[in-house]
Amino acid sequence: MKNLFIALFLATTMPAFSQSNQALAQHYEAFYKQMKKQGDVRGVINALTHLNVLNPTEARKDTLAFFYSNSGQHVQAINLLGTEKDTKASDLAVEVKARSLKALNQPQLAVQQFDIMFSREADVYTAYDLVDLNLQIGKTVEAQTYIKYGLEHTTNEDMLPFYEANPPYQVPLKAAFKYQEGLLKYNEDKTNIDEAIKPIDESIVMAPNFKLAKQIRELLLNQKEAAEQQNPQTPTEDK
């Protein structure tokens, strides 16, 4: 008798629960569209979170992570997607993980995602990110590969913004790759400052407004000068 009561209860409540879920999903679908129309990112995230609970899908989760990442909430995006190197993940999921992990200063994990991106669609901007990340983790051979690709495939129209200065500025992407080549040479041999400065000088010729390159050039020259003062060369005596 007890089992019969439970079965009858479930039979009468399940359809109502299903209808309630469907009504909620329709409500949040409409809410999501309205928030997108208004440009309300917080509202969009709220709507997608509810929809992801009511009817979870990979596409919905990826989209929610994208809005988190795009609004600077990188931790939340990574909490949704994880940090694993998943070659079967969607293009959107891989890009969100790459950008968020880079923003969270996790180059070792970020480089894996950028590798997937580059393998799916070789791109000079992705190559530049891969140079930057590989230099950070000491992988100079990999960095050299992407510098070579970038210098060979970058066009004169390709530009790269830099935000470390106020106001921000942009330089030709080829100049940015030459700057990275200088950093690579420095990482390979920190005692040969002149070899590191040569490509940096080339980058400044291509982009006279390249403030970061000028700052690094000055730091390298100061380092060279300090090293020379610590180890002055003994002049040879005339015989």
Side-chain angles (χ1 to χ4, degrees), residues 1-9:
M1 187 68 181
K2 183 178 180 181
N3 289 341
L4 178 62
F5 173 77
I6 292 172
L8 288 171
F9 175 78

Side-chain angles (χ1 to χ4, degrees), residues 14-218:
M14 284 301 290
F17 179 76
S18 177
Q19 289 174 6
S20 176
N21 255 20
Q22 186 177 0
L24 276 173
Q26 289 174 347
H27 165 76
Y28 282 110
E29 284 283 4
F31 183 66
Y32 169 62
K33 292 176 182 177
Q34 185 61 36
M35 291 299 98
K36 278 188 70 177
K37 183 178 179 180
Q38 294 175 198
D40 187 333
V41 177
R42 182 179 292 183
V44 166
I45 290 173
N46 184 24
L48 282 172
T49 300
H50 281 88
L51 287 168
N52 196 46
V53 171
L54 292 166
N55 185 22
T57 65
E58 287 299 310
R60 186 163 281 155
K61 182 176 70 173
D62 295 349
T63 304
L64 176 56
F66 166 79
F67 278 104
Y68 269 132
S69 180
N70 212 39
S71 62
Q73 300 180 73
H74 300 294
V75 171
Q76 291 86 338
I78 291 302
N79 285 342
L80 265 177
L81 298 179
T83 62
E84 298 79 8
K85 184 177 182 179
D86 182 5
T87 56
K88 295 180 180 179
S90 70
D91 290 346
L92 181 61
V94 172
E95 184 170 356
V96 168
K97 286 201 280 187
R99 304 297 176 195
S100 289
L101 288 167
K102 182 181 178 184
L104 293 170
N105 197 28
Q106 296 290 331
Q108 193 79 48
L109 295 172
V111 76
Q112 298 177 351
Q113 308 302 327
F114 279 102
D115 277 335
I116 298 174
M117 288 172 61
F118 192 83
S119 69
R120 292 180 180 182
E121 184 177 357
D123 174 80
V124 287
Y125 291 97
T126 305
Y128 185 85
D129 281 319
L130 281 163
V131 174
D132 182 37
L133 292 166
N134 277 299
L135 285 177
Q136 287 185 50
I137 59 179
K139 292 188 174 182
T140 56
V141 174
E142 289 83 351
Q144 177 64 67
T145 298
Y146 291 112
I147 288 173
K148 185 174 184 292
Y149 176 88
L151 291 174
E152 289 176 354
H153 292 86
T154 300
T155 68
N156 293 332
E157 288 72 36
D158 294 323
M159 303 293 288
L160 187 71
F162 283 83
Y163 300 100
E164 87 284 350
N166 189 18
Y169 61 96
Q170 60 179 0
V171 303
L173 184 55
K174 187 163 288 189
F177 274 112
K178 291 303 293 185
Y179 159 73
Q180 291 280 34
E181 186 179 358
L183 296 184
L184 171 67
K185 289 184 180 297
Y186 176 73
N187 275 273
E188 289 176 331
D189 184 0
K190 291 182 171 60
T191 64
N192 196 345
I193 302 295
D194 290 336
E195 279 302 305
I197 287 178
K198 284 179 183 178
I200 294 177
D201 282 341
E202 291 182 55
S203 74
I204 295 171
V205 170
M206 285 187 271
N209 67 324
F210 202 164
K211 296 178 182 178
L212 180 60
K214 290 179 179 179
Q215 290 169 2
I216 295 301
R217 183 183 189 278
E218 185 177 352

